[in-house]
Amino acid sequence: HVRVLGADPDGDTVKFEASNLPPGLTIDTDTGEIYGIPSSEGSFASTISLVEVSSSTSTATSVLLRVMPTAIASPTAPIRIVSVANNSELNAAIADAKAGDRIELAAGVYNGVHTVRASGTASNPIVFTPADGANGLVTFDGVGLSSPEVMNFSDGASHIIIDGFSIQNYSETFFMRSTHENIQIVNTTISDSLNAIRGNSINGLRVENLTVSNMTARPFSLGSITNAHFFNVSVTATPEMGFSFQ
């Protein structure tokens, strides 16, 4: 399900319309919810319109909807568990990261820019997640930093999973700077930041159970993305603009 949010600035009644949706999908004209089960793979240049009922005045936007064959596979059991309890230990674990590592963060507040250059593999990704007992207790806070990024993916870093963090006061929260594969960001909240996810070229982007709020710019700034999988994503960019994926 995808829900498109929109309203008339004067409070007049509006309805939603869509054309060239993927086969099997339809839009609810009252709620803006796009729903159904796609019956064909491929890319579809769709148009979503917000229509003022009383005057038939409409505003339209074009979107490219891609229906992919499968979601990205979940990881196997880790080869190595690396426990960290502070920023310096986290940076050391990142510098020494190897395919199959599960880097577990103790409860606490972390800050700074963390540059990830290592790659996992399709069956043995590198996973960042809270340690046992620390779910909901690991926060990245970029307050006071200049143009900070929680994680800066460089040198083609691929097969990376980010799972279960609270992030606030960052700029480019997750920035994929080159060409990457299988980047997964799940079970995470991002607030009071500039961008949530920014990337130039990603083959395999999985975003699930993500809540983004109080953003000061575009939540997602994505270039060439293939095999994208979004599920249960809720975004509020500004008081005037928001959308959610479910």
Side-chain angles (χ1 to χ4, degrees), residues 201-217:
S201 178
I202 307 171
N203 177 19
L205 175 64
R206 176 183 179 185
V207 181
E208 290 189 5
N209 302 324
L210 178 71
T211 299
V212 180
S213 62
N214 298 329
M215 307 300 286
T216 57

Side-chain angles (χ1 to χ4, degrees), residues 106-189:
V109 178
Y110 298 74
N111 54 34
V113 177
H114 308 283
T115 300
V116 180
R117 293 186 170 90
S119 293
T121 65
S123 57
N124 292 296
I126 298 170
V127 179
F128 295 86
T129 191
D132 288 345
N135 287 334
L137 300 175
V138 178
T139 299
F140 286 87
D141 194 335
V143 67
L145 300 177
S146 175
S147 299
E149 299 152 1
V150 173
M151 288 194 178
N152 175 0
F153 296 80
S154 298
D155 299 345
S158 297
H159 305 290
I160 308 291
I161 299 177
I162 312 296
D163 184 356
F165 299 116
S166 176
I167 301 164
Q168 60 194 28
N169 300 314
Y170 273 87
S171 179
E172 312 289 354
T173 309
F174 295 106
F175 195 172
M176 280 65 78
R177 291 183 175 274
S178 53
T179 299
H180 308 270
E181 289 187 62
N182 187 14
I183 302 296
Q184 306 187 39
I185 301 171
V186 298
N187 305 317
T188 290
T189 64

Side-chain angles (χ1 to χ4, degrees), residues 26 68 86 125 128 136 189 194 205 235:
T26 189
M68 308 306 296
N86 54 53
F128 295 86
T189 64
L194 185 67
L205 175 64
V235 179

Side-chain angles (χ1 to χ4, degrees), residues 80-106 110 114-119 126-129 151 160:
R80 179 176 70 164
I81 295 178
V82 182
S83 299
V84 302
N86 54 53
N87 238 27
S88 61
E89 291 180 3
L90 174 58
N91 284 327
I94 291 173
D96 188 48
K98 298 175 176 60
D101 277 3
R102 179 182 174 93
I103 300 174
E104 298 186 347
L105 282 67
Y110 298 74
H114 308 283
T115 300
V116 180
R117 293 186 170 90
S119 293
I126 298 170
V127 179
F128 295 86
T129 191
M151 288 194 178
I160 308 291

Side-chain angles (χ1 to χ4, degrees), residues 207-210 229-233 245-246:
V207 181
E208 290 189 5
N209 302 324
L210 178 71
H229 172 85
F230 286 79
F231 180 78
N232 196 29
V233 177
F245 294 81
Q246 294 181 333

